Amino acid sequence: MTVRIVIGSDHAGYVLKGAVIAHLEGGGHGVDDIGTYSTEPVDYPPICAEVARRVVRGQGDLGIVIGGSGQGEQIAANKVRGARAALCHDEYTARFARRHNDATVLSLGARVVATELALDIVDVFLDTGFDGGRHAARLAELTVIEDEEAAAPGPATSQA
């Protein structure tokens, strides 16, 4: 099955991103690489948010974000309403991110997982479907939380 992937990384994830892209394209998948395009330092939040936005808009089936640890990248992607980004360090977490959470964005830490393991994680993430059932009700609960937060006033700011 061909999957359209939107992928992005910061400078720490750049080299792993190249390996993932080659692996995906070798498997016949479509890849939309939105940056970064070198190891020069860059801030990850706009890149990761854009990956998530494109997936939420239907411009890609799934997304992948890559950084040093993957933590910040996951957080940035999850700030996009409707995105469900999962930080995965092994095949188990990738499998259950998809089966139980219908994760739409995979986050990887280039300084945490070796390339071969990262490619295995990507394969499991792409090949695993959502179980539905009781998990669908939980996703609906997450949407309720997103709706509540969207309607809530923002945090007060202090003037220093």
Side-chain angles (χ1 to χ4, degrees):
M1 177 172 104
T2 300
V3 180
R4 296 173 304 143
I5 306 296
V6 182
I7 191 168
S9 73
D10 71 357
H11 54 283
Y14 172 74
V15 172
L16 179 58
K17 182 183 70 163
V20 170
I21 290 171
H23 180 72
L24 291 168
E25 290 177 341
H29 301 292
V31 179
D32 183 9
D33 178 4
I34 64 163
T36 195
Y37 305 109
S38 77
T39 57
E40 290 297 313
V42 63
D43 293 335
Y44 61 83
I47 295 167
C48 297
E50 185 60 22
V51 167
R53 282 187 193 107
R54 290 185 187 197
V55 171
V56 168
R57 290 180 193 144
Q59 296 169 305
D61 299 312
L62 296 170
I64 300 173
V65 294
I66 307 171
S69 71
Q71 294 280 10
E73 291 74 19
Q74 176 202 25
I75 292 168
N78 276 322
K79 294 296 180 184
V80 174
R81 186 171 185 187
R84 289 182 300 279
L87 175 60
C88 299
H89 293 134
D90 52 38
E91 296 97 329
Y92 180 87
T93 53
R95 184 173 297 108
F96 282 90
R98 295 283 297 136
R99 286 184 64 190
H100 290 187
N101 306 114
D102 198 18
T104 55
V105 178
L106 169 64
S107 184
L108 295 169
R111 295 177 180 150
V112 179
V113 296
T115 301
E116 185 175 324
L117 176 57
L119 300 179
D120 290 342
I121 292 167
V122 167
D123 288 343
V124 168
F125 194 82
L126 297 183
D127 293 342
T128 304
F130 178 50
D131 284 352
R134 71 183 190 274
H135 306 293
R138 294 172 183 156
L139 294 184
E141 291 175 17
L142 292 175
T143 300
V144 168
I145 293 168
E146 283 182 330
D147 292 345
E148 290 169 349
E149 290 302 310
T157 58
S158 63
Q159 304 265 332

